Amino acid sequence: MARWRRMMGGLAAALTVAAMGTVMQTSPAAAADDGPQKVVGGSRANQGDFPFMVRLSMGCGGALYSPTLVLTAAHCVNRTGTNTSITATLGVVDLNSSSKITRKSNYVYRAPGYNGNGKDWALIRLSSPVTGLATLPIATTTAYDSGTFTVAGWGATREGGAQQRYLMTATVPFVSDATCNSSSMYNGEVIPSDEICAGYTQGGVDTCQGDSGGPMFRRDAANAWIQVGIVSWGDGCARPNKPGVYTQVSYFSSSIASAAASLGG
């Protein structure tokens, strides 16, 4: 089953071109069918709303963890080691904008022991620091692992749809582990310690293919953005009783921080 929220194969290759300026867009016919372009059930983000958002050329999203590191999903990368093939696009909501910032990768760190079942996080080190953009701190406790979350990405606005030129955003509510693992939802497939669910029972709002690795975030006690999740997987996009499943960042926060320190970030 293609449940990851990463664009694969030919579409990923096309997105390598997209990151360099030729962005795939929904066809006029599809746009007419779907109404305004939006992350499933969301809306277009404004320039400057989420300065930490990153688009990765393999067809994933990410968040700027530090000036030299991007936090993304393990399933977006192949292995730990030197990697100069990834292009990160930052600083814009419009991937065609002349003011976009781009950096090549020079190293990838994938969560140790990742085998496709949990532990879905990775760090990508950039070839040079990105200055002038806010980074996104990660949650280090479970204090913020409930409530209403914000998601954003350049992924498809409907299941099976095209990738987007403009950054889209939506809000989704927390779904408890017990509910998410119930027989009407994922029937025990979610790993309670590793993963966190968010979405609506009726569906309609969700991340989708191409949003993998992007952050799920909310306001902390000081009203600053804090990352609580990483877009990981789900059955389709925005289906009823199939909320999005996200890597639970708080559970891995010390491992992420240690890995970042080892990479100089």
Side-chain angles (χ1 to χ4, degrees):
M1 282 184 294
R3 302 173 72 186
W4 299 116
R5 300 204 159 170
R6 171 189 174 183
M7 295 307 300
M8 307 296 285
L11 281 176
L15 283 165
T16 302
V17 178
M20 295 185 290
T22 306
V23 179
M24 297 172 61
Q25 298 180 57
T26 306
S27 68
D33 291 341
D34 294 344
Q37 292 184 352
K38 49 192 175 183
V39 164
V40 185
S43 59
R44 187 180 294 184
N46 295 314
Q47 180 64 33
D49 281 353
F50 313 119
F52 43 77
M53 289 297 302
V54 182
R55 181 63 169 170
L56 299 168
S57 55
M58 79 289 274
C60 282
L64 196 62
Y65 175 89
S66 76
T68 56
L69 294 174
V70 175
L71 180 61
T72 188
H75 76 265
C76 288
V77 299
N78 293 324
R79 59 178 178 82
T80 294
T82 300
N83 186 321
T84 59
S85 68
I86 301 167
T87 299
T89 301
L90 312 93
V92 293
V93 296
D94 177 2
L95 293 178
N96 277 357
S97 171
S98 60
S99 60
K100 68 185 177 184
I101 299 166
T102 59
R103 292 287 189 277
K104 297 294 288 188
S105 61
N106 64 19
Y107 195 87
V108 165
Y109 182 98
R110 192 170 73 171
Y114 172 74
N115 63 3
N117 189 29
K119 300 179 181 177
D120 195 11
W121 65 271
L123 289 165
I124 296 171
R125 189 171 66 193
L126 305 177
S127 57
S128 62
V130 176
T131 59
L133 291 181
T135 57
L136 182 60
I138 62 172
T140 57
T141 74
T142 59
Y144 301 110
D145 290 351
S146 61
T148 300
F149 307 119
T150 299
V151 290
W154 289 270
T157 60
R158 59 184 173 85
E159 190 172 325
Q163 301 296 281
Q164 299 299 300
R165 168 179 171 176
Y166 296 97
L167 180 66
M168 304 292 168
T169 183
T171 56
V172 286
F174 170 73
V175 177
S176 72
D177 291 336
T179 300
C180 203
N181 262 334
S182 66
S183 58
S184 64
M185 289 193 176
Y186 287 115
N187 200 29
E189 295 180 72
V190 175
I191 305 170
S193 62
D194 280 31
E195 298 172 326
I196 183 171
C197 299
Y200 294 90
T201 302
Q202 70 271 27
V205 182
D206 199 6
T207 48
C208 200
Q209 274 62 52
D211 291 325
S212 274
M216 180 170 73
F217 47 99
R218 54 160 289 175
R219 297 289 187 178
D220 66 11
N223 203 39
W225 291 121
I226 190 167
Q227 183 171 358
V228 299
I230 300 169
V231 179
S232 185
W233 63 276
D235 276 354
C237 303
R239 295 180 186 178
N241 292 310
K242 297 296 180 183
V245 184
Y246 301 79
T247 303
Q248 192 161 351
V249 169
S250 62
Y251 182 78
F252 297 104
S253 59
S254 61
S255 298
I256 292 169
S258 295
S262 74
L263 296 173

